[in-house]
Amino acid sequence: LLITDAGKTILQTTASAYTWTIPLNAAVAFPIGTVIAFIDTGSASVTIAPASGVTLNLAGAGTTGDRTLAQWGVATATKVGTDAWIIGGVGLS
């Protein structure tokens, strides 16, 4: 992800597996409170992965790690700390 993705929706439309990586603050300094939405309309699931050193917590569960967004899934990630994000949505595991 790039700083220009802040506040935007990332749309995956292809049939290929794809991974979006949430970078360390040292690489891309998104402000705390940044929101990025993800939508997958392609026929393959996509992965939303934290870079090494980034915590990506699943909303409501608090578990961390890579997340899979299924076809027709919608998820929103919000930066809540220097290298901490929370993500939730439909079709997200």
Side-chain angles (χ1 to χ4, degrees):
L1 297 176
L2 305 171
I3 194 69
T4 54
D5 294 323
K8 292 186 179 175
T9 299
I10 308 296
L11 179 62
Q12 171 67 9
T13 61
T14 70
S16 301
Y18 195 81
T19 300
W20 291 302
T21 301
I22 297 178
L24 278 167
N25 188 73
V28 181
F30 290 108
I32 292 175
T34 294
V35 175
I36 301 173
F38 301 90
I39 298 175
D40 180 14
T41 63
S43 58
S45 296
V46 298
T47 301
I48 302 167
S52 180
V54 174
T55 303
L56 181 59
N57 294 289
L58 182 60
T63 55
T64 62
D66 292 359
R67 298 291 159 217
T68 300
L69 187 61
Q71 183 182 25
W72 306 114
V74 177
T76 303
T78 304
K79 187 172 183 180
V80 295
T82 302
D83 284 308
W85 292 71
I86 188 169
I87 190 166
V90 176
L92 183 70
S93 59

